[in-house]
Amino acid sequence: MTQRFSVRHRWAITAAVLACFLTSAHAQSSADTLYQRATAATCANCHGTDGRTTEGSAIPALAGMPKDYMVLQMKAFKEGTRPATVMHQLSKGLTDAQVNSIATYYASLKR
Amino acid sequence: MQRRSFVQASLALGSLSTLVGCAFTGRIPEKARVVVVGGGYGGATAAKYIRMLSNYKIDVTLIEPNSAFVSCPISNLVIGGSKTMADITTPYDKLSGNHGVNVVRDYVASIDAAKKTVTLASGPSIRYDKLVLSPGIDLVLNSIEGLQAANASGQILHAWKAGPETLALRKQLEAMDDGGVFAITIPEAPYRCPPGPYERASQVAHYFKQHKPKSKVLILDANPDVTSKGPLFKKFWADNYKGILEYRGQHKTVAVDAKTKRLKFEVQGDVKADVLNVLPTMRAGTIAVQSGLANANARWCGVNYQTFESTQAKDVHVIGDSILLAPGMPKSGHMANSQGKVTAAAIVAQLSDLPVNPDPLLTNTCYSFVNDKLVVHVASVHQYDAKDKTYKTVAGSGGVSTAPNELEGIYALNWAQNIWADTLR
């Protein structure tokens, strides 16, 4: 009896710990998604909300842009191998991790 | 399959109710989770992005006295004559229609940060969980003797808030005889839009060169030198507006005489001009000053830069031109839009019991037209530094144009279209 209670008790603790872990993992992933969207939104001033520009825009849309392509272009802007008016200056303000996160976000969106 | 259809139907119903709910603009709720005061680049962006980043779960009420947004960026082209007021005006209806922001057309008369309420000029009070203040700037007209009356009578304009004065200044220039003088005075930095006065002077010089070639532009700057894009502006003026535009630094305006059209300075002799455009000292928007939030020199609002929460009042966030700037940060529309997004993310995190982003990031891009087509820019990236609790411009990033160019002229107009959409649609 004591033994059985103890097992049940242990299960309850395990479940509670697991639930707690899952909740905090969920919270962390919600937080990470929020930060990723907010960081990507710094591009939206020029490239449109969620990377969708206004019709006929000379500034390219980012929504649906393949991730590897965007990462390479940002690298080219940074290194000066792709000429630019402002992007060579802005790209130098972003870390590789920020570029990776931004590129992942826009690649996940529909055009 | 059935479950999926149910979920889809619920989502559709959810967005439908959002759309129905927001069709009634001007609905005054007793309680809104977030109240945003001021629908400019900062406030409108914050309102939209709080809705978006909360997956449309947080109610947002935006209080704005104007019926439509009129952009300060590009407004100098209206004064120069190459754009119209319609070109720089965007209605607020898409903020409600597309994003369910409840837009109330009113002023905020007072804020009670202890009770967490704002009281509208029309009477009702609204309770909030979070308040975002983005009231722009207040022009301190009485800092220059004679300016308050001269401005009230429409004789001496600032046109530093795009709107009726923008068009009125254009009309003054059109009415001026060829051979006249346009004088613009600039206050000591910081003020809204550092390169703005130099862009405006360039626009007027371009207009004179085309249509009134005997006329002159005089820049009378309280600062010792051009405060933004200096070498670019000065080279273009020397190459293109020689004999038309003259720049004088260290000219602090202290008084105006609307009758004799004279400007008086702290040190130098009086200057007479035909069209006077006087920009006085600026400070945080009236409601922020009245509410005791302007705790830096009684002019600007101190904020915790990670969240833009006021250092004076809990759950009140201040963004845009009203704040005390971090080093290298300009008072610009693009910056206010960026701050609106960082604040939106912080508020969504706080209201969702999530930790606030430890590394927020701001960008700025600012284009100035030196004539109707050629443009120069300044760009910067500002990373939050948790140790020093401020933003720092990222070393090696940012910079200016090498020379005025037409490609950036195209980008500048496209920037405007996209940021207006990002802020308001």
Side-chain angles (χ1 to χ4, degrees), chain B residues 103-367:
Chain B
V103 183
V104 174
R105 193 175 167 195
D106 207 336
Y107 281 98
V108 171
S110 64
I111 296 165
D112 188 331
K115 285 188 189 151
K116 297 176 92 167
T117 59
V118 296
T119 302
L120 303 181
S122 62
S125 290
I126 307 173
R127 285 187 299 142
Y128 61 79
D129 292 315
K130 286 280 190 182
L131 178 65
V132 180
L133 277 187
S134 189
I137 47 149
D138 178 23
L139 294 142
V140 189
L141 295 170
N142 62 14
S143 64
I144 294 176
E145 196 191 319
L147 184 58
Q148 192 129 35
N151 184 256
S153 67
Q155 289 168 287
I156 300 181
L157 306 171
H158 52 75
W160 218 240
K161 295 181 178 192
E165 284 206 16
T166 309
L167 197 57
L169 182 57
R170 172 66 194 166
K171 296 225 160 104
Q172 287 188 352
L173 289 167
E174 284 172 349
M176 190 191 86
D177 290 335
D178 190 10
V181 175
F182 166 79
I184 180 167
T185 78
I186 306 171
E188 283 163 325
Y191 55 87
R192 162 180 279 181
C193 188
Y198 313 111
E199 181 191 57
R200 178 173 293 176
S202 305
Q203 288 304 307
V204 177
H206 176 70
Y207 167 62
F208 286 171
K209 194 175 174 177
Q210 312 297 311
H211 301 282
K212 295 180 179 178
K214 286 183 272 176
S215 310
K216 298 238 169 333
V217 173
L218 200 48
I219 305 174
L220 301 152
D221 194 342
N223 299 287
D225 204 347
V226 176
T227 58
S228 176
K229 308 172 190 170
L232 288 163
F233 275 118
K234 287 198 278 189
K235 182 168 188 320
F236 192 82
W237 294 340
D239 294 347
N240 296 276
Y241 302 138
K242 205 169 179 199
I244 298 175
L245 186 150
E246 187 189 334
Y247 176 83
R248 295 182 196 164
Q250 230 127 29
H251 273 64
K252 188 178 175 185
T253 310
V254 294
V256 294
D257 186 336
K259 211 179 273 174
T260 60
K261 298 200 166 179
R262 277 177 186 278
L263 298 164
K264 291 179 190 298
F265 302 93
E266 197 172 56
V267 178
Q268 300 85 352
D270 296 3
V271 167
K272 193 178 177 318
D274 299 282
V275 175
L276 302 177
N277 183 195
V278 175
L279 309 180
T281 294
M282 299 171 202
R283 67 178 175 203
T286 311
I287 186 68
V289 174
Q290 267 178 15
S291 311
L293 299 168
N295 54 6
N297 291 332
R299 276 181 76 188
W300 309 113
C301 303
V303 294
N304 164 350
Y305 290 112
Q306 191 186 357
T307 59
F308 287 89
E309 188 170 10
S310 163
T311 51
Q312 197 68 37
K314 201 176 173 306
D315 294 319
V316 177
H317 299 246
V318 188
I319 55 174
D321 292 346
S322 278
I323 69 158
L324 177 69
L325 295 169
M329 204 186 253
K331 292 191 183 292
S332 77
H334 192 117
M335 179 51 72
N337 169 295
S338 286
Q339 291 169 358
K341 290 165 182 170
V342 167
T343 304
I347 286 174
V348 170
Q350 288 170 334
L351 292 179
S352 315
D353 282 327
L354 294 172
V356 172
N357 188 354
D359 302 304
L361 175 78
L362 302 164
T363 57
N364 186 62
T365 310
C366 158
Y367 295 100

Side-chain angles (χ1 to χ4, degrees), chain A residues 35 41 45 49 54 58 89 98, chain B residues 48 337 341 355 377 414 418 422:
Chain A
Y35 307 160
N45 311 37
T49 303
T54 53
Q89 296 165 346
Q98 284 168 330
Chain B
K48 170 176 158 177
N337 169 295
K341 290 165 182 170
H377 82 264
N414 281 269
N418 283 309
D422 187 42

Side-chain angles (χ1 to χ4, degrees), chain B residues 35-56:
Chain B
V35 171
V36 180
V37 180
Y41 282 97
T45 302
K48 170 176 158 177
Y49 274 83
I50 290 167
R51 294 287 294 153
M52 282 178 60
L53 295 176
S54 72
N55 298 319
Y56 297 101

